Amino acid sequence: VQLQASGGGLVQAGGSLRLSCVVSGSTFSIYTMAWYRQAPGKQRELVALLNNGEDGNYANSVKGRFTISRDNAKNAVYLQMNSLKPEDTAVYYCNALIRRTSAQFRPTDYWGQGTLVTVSS
């Protein structure tokens, strides 16, 4: 199983970006999907999280600006980022809890490779 993130780039403050993350490989069930970010010199932090059938949960710093969504048919999770600020600059990582087979009792935590978002002022 691999997670492939894309969509990062350079954008001016106030602009928008849409991140995508696709899960490839054989999976039995994908549970929580999430986006984290890590700014230079800082710890990785949760940005948004989405469980199947539930509303997204967001860090206070991105509420009202970011929207997480998923397409279960495509095994994908997205992060729409609007009204971007320079402090949103970070490497963004997608994350998913996955059971690869029905015999797997506990899901495994998988991470994508990260995609860099740079917001200029």
Side-chain angles (χ1 to χ4, degrees):
V1 172
Q2 289 187 326
L3 276 62
Q4 182 68 44
S6 61
L10 174 63
V11 64
Q12 288 189 331
S16 298
L17 281 175
R18 185 177 188 245
L19 304 183
S20 300
C21 177
V22 178
V23 178
S24 62
S26 178
T27 62
F28 173 71
S29 188
I30 301 176
Y31 298 94
T32 305
M33 302 188 84
W35 288 94
Y36 288 74
R37 68 186 180 187
Q38 187 166 18
K42 294 188 177 181
Q43 289 188 328
R44 190 175 297 189
E45 63 174 357
L46 177 66
V47 175
L49 177 151
L50 185 60
N51 292 310
N52 262 326
E54 298 181 5
D55 294 333
N57 291 286
Y58 300 91
N60 287 334
S61 59
V62 307
K63 278 182 182 176
R65 300 188 297 121
F66 290 11
T67 303
I68 188 171
S69 61
R70 62 192 285 174
D71 185 335
N72 291 330
K74 296 181 179 179
N75 285 350
V77 62
Y78 308 98
L79 186 68
Q80 178 66 44
M81 305 186 293
N82 298 329
S83 302
L84 282 160
K85 304 176 181 180
E87 50 263 44
D88 294 319
T89 295
V91 177
Y92 284 71
Y93 299 90
C94 57
N95 170 267
L97 280 175
I98 299 172
R99 286 172 67 195
R100 295 190 62 183
T101 69
S102 58
Q104 182 180 353
F105 176 72
R106 187 171 294 176
T108 302
D109 213 9
Y110 288 91
W111 291 89
Q113 85 286 5
T115 184
L116 176 63
V117 172
T118 304
V119 184
S120 63
S121 56

